[in-house]
């Protein structure tokens, strides 16, 4: 291959890679901002939220007074509480490709294995000790990348890969997680299998876990989350 041809091939490869990376996040805004209109009776459907008239936008559209610096009540049977800040809570996030959540954990609290199909996630620990990790997709067997995290530590969960966190410190813990999407989506394993309408046939659950159907129904009955 001639040198000029090599350079052309490299240029095409770089441009293609950049296009893939750009496509992996929310679309870039085409204006300074697009503050969301929080009206449930709007019958226009767009990829995101429709925008306010810019002349009606106020400073508070870019502000959230949610006290993410304090613990939040935990009532989940998994021992965790998730407090999200997305467009409904902070309309100025619309089209910015960002979202965040505070996660509070009781001792042994578990953020169950789940995926975010539209976002990469970055977690930073505020207090406590977590064990966190993600699993690769498509390998045989898949690989687990996990480690213990302490206050100030940061860990990345790649887009679309199944991941989890569990509090292993013996005291309450808390973390902030950030997404490169205003609507990352969440598919957690228990909800996907046991809390879906219409219900997933019991036979499918039983065969998936290689258990009998009575046990599958018992697991479904326990999924009150």
């Amino acid at each position: 291959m001639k040198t000029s041809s090599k350079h052309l091939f490299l240029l095409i490869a770089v441009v293609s890679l950049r296009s893939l990376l750009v496509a992996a996040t929310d679309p870039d805004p085409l204006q300074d901002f697009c503050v969301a209109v929080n009206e449930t009776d709007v019958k226009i459907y767009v990829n995101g939220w429709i925008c306010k008239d810019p002349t009606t936008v106020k400073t508070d559209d870019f502000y959230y007074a949610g006290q993410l610096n304090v613990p939040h009540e935990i009532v989940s049977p998994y021992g965790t509480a998730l407090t999200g800040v997305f467009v409904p809570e902070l309309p100025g996030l619309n089209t910015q490709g960002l979202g965040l959540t505070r996660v509070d954990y009781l001792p042994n609290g578990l953020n169950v294995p789940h995926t975010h199909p539209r976002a990469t996630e970055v977690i930073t620990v505020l207090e406590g000790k977590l064990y966190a990790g993600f699993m690769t997709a498509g390998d045989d067997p898949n690989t687990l990348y996990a480690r213990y995290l302490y206050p100030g530590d940061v860990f990345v969960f790649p887009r679309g890969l199944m991941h989890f966190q569990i509090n292993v410190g013996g005291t309450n813990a808390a973390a902030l997680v950030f997404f490169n999407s205003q609507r990352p989506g969440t598919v957690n394993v228990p909800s996907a299998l046991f809390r879906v309408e219409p219900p997933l046939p019991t036979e499918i659950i039983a065969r998936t876990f290689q258990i009998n159907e009575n046990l599958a129904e018992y697991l479904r009955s326990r999924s009150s989350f």
Side-chain angles (χ1 to χ4, degrees):
M1 183 182 292
K2 296 181 179 179
T3 302
S4 59
S5 298
K6 290 181 179 179
H7 289 166
L8 178 60
F9 178 80
L10 179 60
L11 176 61
I12 293 173
V14 169
V15 171
S16 298
L17 177 59
R18 184 180 184 278
S19 298
L20 287 173
L21 292 174
V22 169
T25 59
D26 292 349
D28 288 334
L30 299 178
Q31 51 205 22
D32 288 343
F33 47 76
C34 173
V35 175
V37 176
N38 190 15
E39 296 182 8
T40 56
D41 59 347
V42 173
K43 300 303 181 184
I44 299 174
Y45 296 90
V46 295
N47 189 22
W49 294 63
I50 63 174
C51 309
K52 275 188 177 182
D53 180 341
T55 63
T56 68
V57 170
K58 301 178 180 179
T59 300
D60 281 352
D61 290 323
F62 304 95
Y63 173 71
Y64 171 77
Q67 295 185 319
L68 291 185
N69 61 317
V70 298
H72 289 244
E73 182 182 12
I74 300 173
V75 296
S76 162
Y78 297 117
T80 53
L82 279 66
T83 306
V85 182
F86 297 98
V87 173
E89 294 78 26
L90 183 53
L93 280 176
N94 193 42
T95 75
Q96 299 303 314
L98 294 170
L100 68 149
T101 297
R102 176 186 168 110
V103 187
D104 288 285
Y105 311 79
L106 292 174
N108 299 313
L110 171 67
N111 195 2
V112 300
H114 61 282
T115 68
H116 301 294
R118 295 183 289 271
T120 298
E121 176 181 334
V122 177
I123 184 172
T124 181
V125 178
L126 299 177
E127 59 179 290
K129 177 183 177 183
L130 302 179
Y131 181 68
F134 66 89
M135 288 74 81
T136 58
D139 299 326
D140 187 17
N142 294 333
T143 302
L144 170 65
Y145 292 93
R147 63 164 298 144
Y148 296 103
L149 302 177
Y150 300 88
D153 288 351
V154 177
F155 197 76
V156 176
F157 304 115
R159 179 188 183 191
L161 296 186
M162 188 170 295
H163 57 282
F164 65 91
Q165 308 105 42
I166 186 170
N167 179 7
V168 294
T171 61
N172 285 11
L176 284 178
V177 297
F178 301 87
F179 306 96
N180 64 337
S181 172
Q182 69 181 53
R183 196 178 183 199
T186 300
V187 181
N188 75 51
V189 173
S191 291
L193 292 175
F194 300 115
R195 262 182 88 83
V196 59
E197 293 294 339
L200 193 66
T202 303
E203 178 187 4
I204 293 178
I205 297 174
R207 293 183 63 183
T208 296
F209 292 105
Q210 296 296 291
I211 58 179
N212 63 54
E213 294 191 11
N214 288 336
L215 180 54
E217 279 300 319
Y218 171 76
L219 293 175
R220 193 198 303 275
S221 71
R222 297 283 294 172
S223 301
S224 56
F225 43 82

